[in-house]
Amino acid sequence: MSVGRETRLSAWIERFAAHFAEEGIPLIGGRILGYLLVCQPTERTAAELSQELEASSGSISTNLKFLVNAGLVTKRTRRGRQAAQYRINEKRWVDLIQRKLDALVSVRELTEAGMRLMSGDPERAVRLRTVDDLYTWLATELPAVWERRPASSR
Amino acid sequence: MSVGRETRLSAWIERFAAHFAEEGIPLIGGRILGYLLVCQPTERTAAELSQELEASSGSISTNLKFLVNAGLVTKRTRRGRQAAQYRINEKRWVDLIQRKLDALVSVRELTEAGMRLMSGDPERAVRLRTVDDLYTWLATELPAVWERRPASSR
DNA sequence: CCGACTCTTCGGTCGGCACTGAAGCCACGA
DNA sequence: TCGTGGCTTCAGTGCCGACCGAAGAGTCGG
């Protein structure tokens, strides 16, 4: 008998989380994202996430707060003493990518500042100029491409 | 009297290093990069870097090895008991950026794998599909833009 | 082979971040 | 006002990576 679907899914979630861990998102935060992208039903309580992902209630709370704050997860409260429900807000994934691109392009401000300090000594600036040219090109091209992204992602 | 040029330059180097520290490059490695981009003359020995950047010989050695390995710095050895000279290899800065873009685009492989696991349950896949579509779009657009980069950066 | 100099390696230290779990807080119903 | 249950906060722990500096390895001229 083959490995069950759920086992393969949790392996996928783990890879997913590992990738974003390299980008600075805590492991448990990445697991929450991966899990909420594929779980059925789509909404989960903090307690369910804690059990399913085998993480402490504290970690779940901290990471949910972070993700809700980033807009990637939506919190839905209910009347009564019922637990709040969390679901992925996949429409906001664009923001994640945009932040990445912005970080890349923002280096240009640094190289520009450096070029200003080097003004008056062109010879000394040639190395920095090569780098500055690159980021200047990026800063003009990337936003243009970004604007042309499909309407479905807005 | 105003702040001297060298003081302002080291402040710039510090900002430069701080930016790349957020991207995972050790602080001292970033300082080396910033310094080698603007120092005059363009080549420096490890001992000079150690003194100028106030870092231990061990840290300088480790970081130079890392940067040389990444292609961003070139090591030039000389006969006699002379110390090797290091200089920035600014032409390879494109590689740094390419790695960044590749990392971004590579998420698509993850989302695709997830979509495959979800095949047979389209309803359950709708959230992941939104994210997958985004990365698929990125994976087609970014390489195309990258190819159009100016010849001066190749 | 020796002495001088440079570079790398490596144990040790330090700081910071992720995570835990318990205690406290809050919201709600009774 | 009290009790119940869920959520957040926070001190404590462990781990990992950056950094240091000394010791060792390598390299060359004499």
Side-chain angles (χ1 to χ4, degrees):
Chain A
M1 180 181 164
S2 72
V3 179
R5 167 183 250 188
E6 295 310 320
T7 304
R8 265 184 283 168
L9 254 186
S10 32
W12 178 81
I13 291 170
E14 206 56 26
R15 280 204 295 145
F16 193 83
H19 176 96
F20 288 99
E22 289 181 3
E23 304 195 355
I25 293 180
L27 209 45
I28 294 183
R31 289 193 186 113
I32 293 174
L33 285 179
Y35 185 74
L36 288 180
L37 272 172
V38 299
C39 66
Q40 196 75 297
T42 61
E43 289 188 321
R44 288 294 141 102
T45 66
E48 285 166 346
L49 290 171
S50 175
Q51 182 165 13
E52 194 67 38
L53 301 177
E54 295 173 271
S56 71
S57 63
S59 287
I60 295 294
S61 175
T62 302
N63 279 278
L64 277 177
K65 186 177 183 178
F66 168 72
L67 294 172
V68 167
N69 194 44
L72 290 172
V73 168
T74 302
K75 177 182 189 173
R76 188 168 67 87
T77 54
R78 301 177 293 175
R79 319 188 104 253
R81 10 175 149 136
Q82 311 236 38
Q85 303 259 78
Y86 295 90
R87 65 170 181 275
I88 196 81
N89 189 2
E90 72 272 13
K91 310 281 182 203
R92 296 290 296 277
W93 208 276
V94 280
D95 300 352
L96 200 66
I97 294 174
Q98 176 140 34
R99 276 196 291 275
K100 277 264 148 202
L101 295 178
D102 286 348
L104 191 58
V105 164
S106 73
V107 180
R108 189 200 180 194
E109 292 159 27
L110 274 172
T111 57
E112 270 185 338
M115 288 302 285
R116 255 177 271 127
L117 288 175
M118 296 281 103
S119 68
D121 198 343
E123 180 122 359
R124 193 171 176 184
V126 291
R127 290 156 286 168
L128 184 53
R129 156 151 232 135
T130 302
V131 179
D132 184 47
D133 285 350
L134 239 182
Y135 284 109
T136 299
W137 176 77
L138 268 180
T140 57
E141 289 295 322
L142 284 188
V145 177
W146 190 244
E147 285 306 313
R148 278 188 262 115
R149 70 186 190 277
S152 59
S153 71
R154 299 179 190 238
Chain B
M1 177 180 164
S2 71
V3 179
R5 167 183 251 189
E6 295 310 319
T7 304
R8 267 184 281 167
L9 254 186
S10 33
W12 178 81
I13 291 170
E14 207 55 28
R15 282 203 296 144
F16 193 83
H19 176 96
F20 289 99
E22 289 181 2
E23 303 195 354
I25 292 180
L27 208 44
I28 294 183
R31 288 193 186 113
I32 293 174
L33 285 179
Y35 184 73
L36 288 181
L37 271 172
V38 298
C39 65
Q40 196 75 298
T42 61
E43 290 188 319
R44 288 293 139 105
T45 67
E48 286 166 346
L49 290 171
S50 175
Q51 182 166 12
E52 195 67 38
L53 302 176
E54 294 173 271
S56 73
S57 64
S59 287
I60 294 294
S61 175
T62 302
N63 279 277
L64 277 177
K65 186 176 182 178
F66 168 72
L67 295 172
V68 167
N69 193 45
L72 291 171
V73 168
T74 302
K75 177 181 188 174
R76 187 168 67 86
T77 54
R78 300 178 293 174
R79 317 190 104 249
R81 15 177 145 128
Q82 312 235 35
Q85 302 259 81
Y86 295 91
R87 65 169 181 275
I88 196 81
N89 189 2
E90 72 271 14
K91 310 282 182 200
R92 297 289 296 276
W93 208 277
V94 279
D95 300 352
L96 199 67
I97 294 173
Q98 176 139 32
R99 276 197 291 276
K100 278 263 149 204
L101 294 178
D102 285 348
L104 191 58
V105 164
S106 74
V107 179
R108 189 199 180 196
E109 291 159 27
L110 273 172
T111 57
E112 270 184 340
M115 289 302 284
R116 256 177 271 128
L117 287 175
M118 296 282 105
S119 69
D121 198 342
E123 180 120 1
R124 193 171 175 184
V126 291
R127 289 156 287 166
L128 183 54
R129 157 153 231 132
T130 302
V131 179
D132 184 46
D133 285 349
L134 239 181
Y135 285 108
T136 298
W137 177 77
L138 269 180
T140 58
E141 289 295 322
L142 285 188
V145 177
W146 190 243
E147 285 306 313
R148 277 188 263 115
R149 73 185 186 278
S152 60
S153 71
R154 298 181 192 235

